[in-house]
Each structure stands twice: as C-alpha cells, then as structure tokens.
Amino acid sequence: MDRSSFPEPDREVIHFKVWRFLVVYVLNPTLLVPVAAYLWSRYRGTYAKPIGLPGAVPREFLEASFGVLGTGLAFAGIPNVGLLHLTRPLTFVATLLVVLQIPAMSRLRRNWYLVAMGLGLLAAAMGYALDTPAYRNSVFTTVQSLIYLIVSSIELRWILMIEDDVPVAARPEFWFFSALLVFASGSLLFNATSNYFLRTLTHDLLPIPWVAVNVVYVMYYFLMAKVFLCPKPTSS
C-alpha cells in the first residue's frame, strides 16, 4: 500500500515566541561577558593586561555597545537587520586594527591584512547594494568569516612557534585568535545561507538557525573574555 495514503502524524512546532525568548533573553546577553571580564580583571588586579593586543579593550566596548543597541531594538520589537549593515563592518575594521597593531607583526603580514580589510569593506558595500537593508549583509559576513578564519589560523601558528617561558594558555593573543577562529568557522555556513532562511522558512521555524549560530557566539564571547583573564606572569 502506498505510504502516502496514511495521514502524517501531527508534529509539535515550537512557537516563535519561545525561540525569540531564547535568543533575546538568554543567548544575546552573553555579549557583555568580555566587558564584564575586563572590568573584573581591573578590579581584582591579579590578571595581566593584554599588552600584546593594543586596542583590544576599546574594540570590546565598541562591539558590546553595538550588541546592546541591536538587542535593545529586538526587545522593542524593531527590526535591527539594517543596523547590522553598519555595525558589523565597523567591528570588523576595529578587529583588524587590533591585529595590525600587534608589536611582533611583520610588514608582509600587515600589508596582507590591510588588503583583507579593503576587501571586507568592498564586500560590505556590495552586500548593501545586493541584499538591501531589508536582509542580512550575507556577502560581507561571509567574506568576514573567511578573513577571520585565515587571519586567526596564521596568527595562531605564529603564537605556537614562539619559544619562551610563558605558556600558550597564558597569552591573551592565543585566546583572542582562538575566539576569532571559533566565530569564523562556526558562523561561515550560516552567513552564506542566512538570507535563504529568511526567504524560505516559516515564521515559527525561522529562528532555529539563529539559535544555532548564537550558541557559537556564546562560545566566542567566553573565549574573548579569557583575553582579559590571563594570570600575570610570575617573576623568576
């Protein structure tokens, strides 16, 4: 007998409000974890300043400010997709500026990263024209993930090649690039397909990929927080 003649069993669908609550009220607030870690490290005074990452602190406050603004719009039920066309490229530039200011950065790597910054901004402009503020800038976010993936892989290799008495896990640079690697690898596929989800998924199913990628962001925020929670090196 044809299986199509049997009625399909009822499937319980999680309501949109449940997904929204999980993203907005549970996952999104973790964007403040790195800033909280920095403030705690300064209060305690037992953690090392990320001297090898000039600009890391302003970058974290910038990213947190943009995150709070976007989340505030979500709280108010106001779409924030158009805002991301501006804030994401600014955070991207701030991130690469941190990388470019690393004291041990070679001129060759610095030049390549400047080219990567230019390509990212070009992708942001192209994505704005193609996706419009009504949709995510999937062109830029995909290129951003690819650039972060390459930059973090190169810099982690250099960090692992350094021979000195400081353990790798005690280096703020290690945690910074590990965070970028997790962010890039975990969000690359989502960034490339997010607008497809926006156009095809039903109202109640639409938040599912956002929940999945926000779990990746939570891991990213906690790794970035570790940048400010490395112990001070002990004197011999």
Side-chain angles (χ1 to χ4, degrees):
M1 185 180 293
D2 186 2
R3 292 177 62 89
S4 62
S5 61
F6 291 99
E8 287 288 331
D10 292 335
R11 296 179 179 177
E12 183 178 354
V13 178
I14 298 178
H15 197 272
F16 177 82
K17 289 184 178 179
V18 177
W19 290 121
R20 184 178 181 275
F21 177 87
L22 180 60
V23 172
V24 176
Y25 293 89
V26 178
L27 299 177
N28 273 1
T30 59
L31 63 90
L32 295 175
V33 168
V35 169
Y38 167 74
L39 296 176
W40 175 253
S41 71
R42 295 305 94 206
Y43 171 74
R44 292 288 295 177
T46 57
Y47 299 99
K49 293 182 179 180
I51 299 174
L53 293 170
V57 175
R59 177 209 173 271
E60 286 308 316
F61 277 90
L62 180 70
E63 183 174 50
S65 298
F66 288 154
V68 169
L69 177 59
T71 303
L73 293 176
F75 274 129
I78 302 173
N80 60 5
V81 176
L83 176 69
L84 299 179
H85 280 268
L86 174 64
T87 59
R88 291 282 170 81
L90 289 176
T91 303
F92 167 75
V93 170
T95 301
L96 287 189
L97 286 177
V98 173
V99 179
L100 290 169
Q101 295 177 72
I102 293 176
M105 181 66 58
S106 68
R107 178 176 297 181
L108 178 61
R109 299 201 328 270
R110 183 175 286 108
N111 289 338
W112 276 114
Y113 296 161
L114 284 171
V115 171
M117 184 187 295
L119 290 175
L121 293 176
L122 179 61
M126 292 177 59
Y128 183 85
L130 292 173
D131 293 326
T132 75
Y135 290 94
R136 296 184 78 252
N137 195 332
S138 59
V139 176
F140 166 72
T141 53
T142 302
V143 171
Q144 174 188 245
S145 290
L146 289 171
I147 290 174
Y148 283 173
L149 192 60
I150 294 171
V151 171
S152 58
S153 299
I154 292 173
E155 293 305 316
L156 283 172
R157 176 179 176 272
W158 280 100
I159 291 171
L160 295 174
M161 289 174 58
I162 296 175
E163 296 182 2
D164 59 21
D165 297 331
V166 181
V168 172
R171 295 178 175 275
E173 299 93 328
F174 170 77
W175 296 106
F176 181 81
F177 289 112
S178 295
L180 288 186
L181 185 63
V182 167
F183 175 89
S185 58
S187 64
L188 178 59
L189 183 60
F190 169 81
N191 287 326
T193 57
S194 55
N195 283 334
Y196 172 78
F197 296 142
L198 283 171
R199 290 181 171 93
T200 59
L201 291 181
T202 63
H203 180 74
D204 284 323
L205 295 179
L206 180 59
I208 294 178
W210 267 258
V211 171
V213 80
N214 269 274
V215 172
V216 174
Y217 292 161
V218 169
M219 293 187 287
Y220 159 75
Y221 292 132
F222 276 92
L223 286 172
M224 197 61 76
K226 192 67 175 68
V227 171
F228 308 107
L229 297 177
C230 292
K232 288 183 178 180
T234 57
S235 57
S236 57

